Amino acid sequence: MATSLTSHRPVLAITLKVIAIGLFTGLSALIKAVSDVVPAGEAVFFRSFFAIPVIVVWLTLRGEMKNGLRTSRPMGHVLRGLVGTSAMAMTFMGLGMLPLPEVTAIGYATPIFTLILAALFLGERIRLVRISAVGIGLLGVLIMIYPRLSSGLDMSSTAFVGVLLILGATVARGFVQIHIRRMVMTEQTAAIVFYFSVTASLLSLLTLPFGWVLPDFTTLLLLVGAGLVGGVAQILVTSSYRFAPASMLAPYDYVSMLFAIVIGYFWFAELPTLVMLSGAFLVIVGNILVIWRESRLGLERGKAKPLTDPKGG
């Protein structure tokens, strides 16, 4: 008799998710620490390439290394790699231009842009709750970036360019999320995670002629550490969803702001502004509305399932 690969263990799920969020925030700090000397393309390579051994070991231990990597949509993985690698590169560049808490806060807009893109490309209907969520979230984004725009569209301003890069990365991640919604219909999670790391590693090599540097020992440790930390964090966040539903775990994403504030203060002497925190609060409110609406829709679908699927009970 087959045993279920999932179980309801919320404390374990939350613990795994929070640790993963802390590691992802730490990863961002590692990249930020080397951003003055290491080009973004080189940082993307180390982040992606050194995550592969961690992922391979994990897949091997789970017995998914063979069957889990089969794919019927190779070009889907290529597209996911192109857009995802672009998002990563823009984020890494932006980390060198903006405070860590600000990059983290703007990144919270990803679910808002995902909703907009899903409506445009997937034809998903956006009703009152979702429209409200989008409006509140976009208002929060405008509040956060207003101080960077108040002097006009100054492309010579490092902070202004940084905002554009992080916004671009956020929109790209939104596109990745709706693309993955399609991919999971035919592709295993293991394949999506593995092939993205491989694709990102290969794509980042294309930037080699544009100024890669030979890192010193300390910088090399930080870069390799970013890759290893990223691989572990990816495993932990994936594992967390085996023990609790996504709707329950989603609000814990915002713990990253606490990590970003602490790391930003002690490592980079950065403090978030009141305006940034106010904007981030509105974005989080918008996201919580989305989470609430999705959980309600899930309950409604669950109640309707026995009526349409006799085996569902």
PDB file of all heavy atoms in Angstrom, residues 38-54:
ATOM      1  N   VAL A  38      32.233  42.224  -7.748  1.00  0.00           N
ATOM      2  CA  VAL A  38      31.863  41.100  -8.617  1.00  0.00           C
ATOM      3  C   VAL A  38      30.683  41.492  -9.499  1.00  0.00           C
ATOM      4  O   VAL A  38      29.639  41.918  -8.993  1.00  0.00           O
ATOM      5  CB  VAL A  38      31.488  39.867  -7.767  1.00  0.00           C
ATOM      6  CG1 VAL A  38      31.042  38.719  -8.664  1.00  0.00           C
ATOM      7  CG2 VAL A  38      32.673  39.431  -6.906  1.00  0.00           C
ATOM      8  N   PRO A  39      30.812  41.371 -10.820  1.00  0.00           N
ATOM      9  CA  PRO A  39      29.688  41.676 -11.716  1.00  0.00           C
ATOM     10  C   PRO A  39      28.496  40.767 -11.447  1.00  0.00           C
ATOM     11  O   PRO A  39      28.652  39.636 -10.978  1.00  0.00           O
ATOM     12  CB  PRO A  39      30.269  41.420 -13.115  1.00  0.00           C
ATOM     13  CG  PRO A  39      31.746  41.414 -12.946  1.00  0.00           C
ATOM     14  CD  PRO A  39      32.013  40.935 -11.551  1.00  0.00           C
ATOM     15  N   ALA A  40      27.311  41.264 -11.776  1.00  0.00           N
ATOM     16  CA  ALA A  40      26.087  40.510 -11.504  1.00  0.00           C
ATOM     17  C   ALA A  40      26.072  39.166 -12.213  1.00  0.00           C
ATOM     18  O   ALA A  40      25.629  38.156 -11.655  1.00  0.00           O
ATOM     19  CB  ALA A  40      24.870  41.338 -11.897  1.00  0.00           C
ATOM     20  N   GLY A  41      26.564  39.130 -13.462  1.00  0.00           N
ATOM     21  CA  GLY A  41      26.570  37.863 -14.202  1.00  0.00           C
ATOM     22  C   GLY A  41      27.415  36.804 -13.537  1.00  0.00           C
ATOM     23  O   GLY A  41      27.049  35.624 -13.491  1.00  0.00           O
ATOM     24  N   GLU A  42      28.548  37.220 -12.985  1.00  0.00           N
ATOM     25  CA  GLU A  42      29.414  36.285 -12.271  1.00  0.00           C
ATOM     26  C   GLU A  42      28.743  35.809 -10.983  1.00  0.00           C
ATOM     27  O   GLU A  42      28.820  34.625 -10.623  1.00  0.00           O
ATOM     28  CB  GLU A  42      30.751  36.955 -11.955  1.00  0.00           C
ATOM     29  CG  GLU A  42      31.778  36.032 -11.335  1.00  0.00           C
ATOM     30  CD  GLU A  42      33.138  36.700 -11.162  1.00  0.00           C
ATOM     31  OE1 GLU A  42      33.292  37.864 -11.600  1.00  0.00           O
ATOM     32  OE2 GLU A  42      34.033  36.060 -10.579  1.00  0.00           O
ATOM     33  N   ALA A  43      28.068  36.723 -10.295  1.00  0.00           N
ATOM     34  CA  ALA A  43      27.354  36.347  -9.074  1.00  0.00           C
ATOM     35  C   ALA A  43      26.232  35.359  -9.377  1.00  0.00           C
ATOM     36  O   ALA A  43      26.004  34.407  -8.609  1.00  0.00           O
ATOM     37  CB  ALA A  43      26.793  37.598  -8.392  1.00  0.00           C
ATOM     38  N   VAL A  44      25.544  35.555 -10.494  1.00  0.00           N
ATOM     39  CA  VAL A  44      24.487  34.624 -10.900  1.00  0.00           C
ATOM     40  C   VAL A  44      25.068  33.235 -11.124  1.00  0.00           C
ATOM     41  O   VAL A  44      24.473  32.219 -10.737  1.00  0.00           O
ATOM     42  CB  VAL A  44      23.775  35.123 -12.174  1.00  0.00           C
ATOM     43  CG1 VAL A  44      22.876  34.032 -12.759  1.00  0.00           C
ATOM     44  CG2 VAL A  44      22.958  36.372 -11.879  1.00  0.00           C
ATOM     45  N   PHE A  45      26.251  33.172 -11.744  1.00  0.00           N
ATOM     46  CA  PHE A  45      26.880  31.872 -11.989  1.00  0.00           C
ATOM     47  C   PHE A  45      27.147  31.137 -10.679  1.00  0.00           C
ATOM     48  O   PHE A  45      26.792  29.962 -10.528  1.00  0.00           O
ATOM     49  CB  PHE A  45      28.190  32.042 -12.751  1.00  0.00           C
ATOM     50  CG  PHE A  45      28.967  30.754 -12.877  1.00  0.00           C
ATOM     51  CD1 PHE A  45      28.616  29.805 -13.826  1.00  0.00           C
ATOM     52  CD2 PHE A  45      30.028  30.478 -12.022  1.00  0.00           C
ATOM     53  CE1 PHE A  45      29.310  28.605 -13.923  1.00  0.00           C
ATOM     54  CE2 PHE A  45      30.731  29.281 -12.107  1.00  0.00           C
ATOM     55  CZ  PHE A  45      30.372  28.340 -13.068  1.00  0.00           C
ATOM     56  N   PHE A  46      27.790  31.794  -9.730  1.00  0.00           N
ATOM     57  CA  PHE A  46      28.113  31.139  -8.464  1.00  0.00           C
ATOM     58  C   PHE A  46      26.847  30.750  -7.709  1.00  0.00           C
ATOM     59  O   PHE A  46      26.767  29.662  -7.121  1.00  0.00           O
ATOM     60  CB  PHE A  46      28.992  32.050  -7.607  1.00  0.00           C
ATOM     61  CG  PHE A  46      30.444  32.006  -7.971  1.00  0.00           C
ATOM     62  CD1 PHE A  46      30.972  32.900  -8.889  1.00  0.00           C
ATOM     63  CD2 PHE A  46      31.288  31.068  -7.400  1.00  0.00           C
ATOM     64  CE1 PHE A  46      32.320  32.849  -9.235  1.00  0.00           C
ATOM     65  CE2 PHE A  46      32.633  31.016  -7.735  1.00  0.00           C
ATOM     66  CZ  PHE A  46      33.154  31.908  -8.655  1.00  0.00           C
ATOM     67  N   ARG A  47      25.855  31.643  -7.708  1.00  0.00           N
ATOM     68  CA  ARG A  47      24.593  31.355  -7.013  1.00  0.00           C
ATOM     69  C   ARG A  47      23.909  30.127  -7.607  1.00  0.00           C
ATOM     70  O   ARG A  47      23.349  29.300  -6.879  1.00  0.00           O
ATOM     71  CB  ARG A  47      23.671  32.581  -7.114  1.00  0.00           C
ATOM     72  CG  ARG A  47      22.188  32.336  -6.938  1.00  0.00           C
ATOM     73  CD  ARG A  47      21.837  31.834  -5.552  1.00  0.00           C
ATOM     74  NE  ARG A  47      20.408  31.594  -5.440  1.00  0.00           N
ATOM     75  CZ  ARG A  47      19.826  30.424  -5.636  1.00  0.00           C
ATOM     76  NH1 ARG A  47      20.537  29.357  -5.977  1.00  0.00           N
ATOM     77  NH2 ARG A  47      18.509  30.297  -5.486  1.00  0.00           N
ATOM     78  N   SER A  48      23.965  29.979  -8.923  1.00  0.00           N
ATOM     79  CA  SER A  48      23.256  28.888  -9.587  1.00  0.00           C
ATOM     80  C   SER A  48      24.076  27.600  -9.610  1.00  0.00           C
ATOM     81  O   SER A  48      23.574  26.518  -9.295  1.00  0.00           O
ATOM     82  CB  SER A  48      22.902  29.293 -11.023  1.00  0.00           C
ATOM     83  OG  SER A  48      22.159  30.491 -11.036  1.00  0.00           O
ATOM     84  N   PHE A  49      25.360  27.719  -9.980  1.00  0.00           N
ATOM     85  CA  PHE A  49      26.188  26.532 -10.170  1.00  0.00           C
ATOM     86  C   PHE A  49      26.407  25.782  -8.860  1.00  0.00           C
ATOM     87  O   PHE A  49      26.319  24.542  -8.819  1.00  0.00           O
ATOM     88  CB  PHE A  49      27.533  26.920 -10.781  1.00  0.00           C
ATOM     89  CG  PHE A  49      28.433  25.745 -11.052  1.00  0.00           C
ATOM     90  CD1 PHE A  49      28.216  24.943 -12.163  1.00  0.00           C
ATOM     91  CD2 PHE A  49      29.479  25.437 -10.202  1.00  0.00           C
ATOM     92  CE1 PHE A  49      29.034  23.840 -12.416  1.00  0.00           C
ATOM     93  CE2 PHE A  49      30.304  24.345 -10.441  1.00  0.00           C
ATOM     94  CZ  PHE A  49      30.079  23.551 -11.548  1.00  0.00           C
ATOM     95  N   PHE A  50      26.679  26.491  -7.780  1.00  0.00           N
ATOM     96  CA  PHE A  50      26.986  25.818  -6.526  1.00  0.00           C
ATOM     97  C   PHE A  50      25.729  25.405  -5.761  1.00  0.00           C
ATOM     98  O   PHE A  50      25.830  24.772  -4.710  1.00  0.00           O
ATOM     99  CB  PHE A  50      27.897  26.689  -5.666  1.00  0.00           C
ATOM    100  CG  PHE A  50      29.318  26.680  -6.149  1.00  0.00           C
ATOM    101  CD1 PHE A  50      29.776  27.674  -7.002  1.00  0.00           C
ATOM    102  CD2 PHE A  50      30.174  25.665  -5.793  1.00  0.00           C
ATOM    103  CE1 PHE A  50      31.078  27.656  -7.480  1.00  0.00           C
ATOM    104  CE2 PHE A  50      31.484  25.630  -6.265  1.00  0.00           C
ATOM    105  CZ  PHE A  50      31.938  26.633  -7.111  1.00  0.00           C
ATOM    106  N   ALA A  51      24.566  25.739  -6.309  1.00  0.00           N
ATOM    107  CA  ALA A  51      23.324  25.176  -5.760  1.00  0.00           C
ATOM    108  C   ALA A  51      23.052  23.795  -6.341  1.00  0.00           C
ATOM    109  O   ALA A  51      22.341  22.988  -5.731  1.00  0.00           O
ATOM    110  CB  ALA A  51      22.153  26.102  -6.072  1.00  0.00           C
ATOM    111  N   ILE A  52      23.631  23.502  -7.524  1.00  0.00           N
ATOM    112  CA  ILE A  52      23.353  22.241  -8.204  1.00  0.00           C
ATOM    113  C   ILE A  52      23.762  21.025  -7.379  1.00  0.00           C
ATOM    114  O   ILE A  52      22.975  20.068  -7.242  1.00  0.00           O
ATOM    115  CB  ILE A  52      24.017  22.212  -9.600  1.00  0.00           C
ATOM    116  CG1 ILE A  52      23.364  23.276 -10.503  1.00  0.00           C
ATOM    117  CG2 ILE A  52      23.901  20.839 -10.238  1.00  0.00           C
ATOM    118  CD1 ILE A  52      24.021  23.423 -11.860  1.00  0.00           C
ATOM    119  N   PRO A  53      24.987  20.970  -6.801  1.00  0.00           N
ATOM    120  CA  PRO A  53      25.338  19.781  -6.002  1.00  0.00           C
ATOM    121  C   PRO A  53      24.373  19.530  -4.841  1.00  0.00           C
ATOM    122  O   PRO A  53      24.039  18.373  -4.545  1.00  0.00           O
ATOM    123  CB  PRO A  53      26.746  20.118  -5.477  1.00  0.00           C
ATOM    124  CG  PRO A  53      27.284  21.124  -6.424  1.00  0.00           C
ATOM    125  CD  PRO A  53      26.103  21.923  -6.876  1.00  0.00           C
ATOM    126  N   VAL A  54      23.933  20.607  -4.197  1.00  0.00           N
ATOM    127  CA  VAL A  54      22.995  20.462  -3.085  1.00  0.00           C
ATOM    128  C   VAL A  54      21.685  19.856  -3.582  1.00  0.00           C
ATOM    129  O   VAL A  54      21.127  18.935  -2.966  1.00  0.00           O
ATOM    130  CB  VAL A  54      22.731  21.827  -2.415  1.00  0.00           C
ATOM    131  CG1 VAL A  54      21.742  21.686  -1.256  1.00  0.00           C
ATOM    132  CG2 VAL A  54      24.029  22.438  -1.921  1.00  0.00           C
TER     133      VAL A  54
END
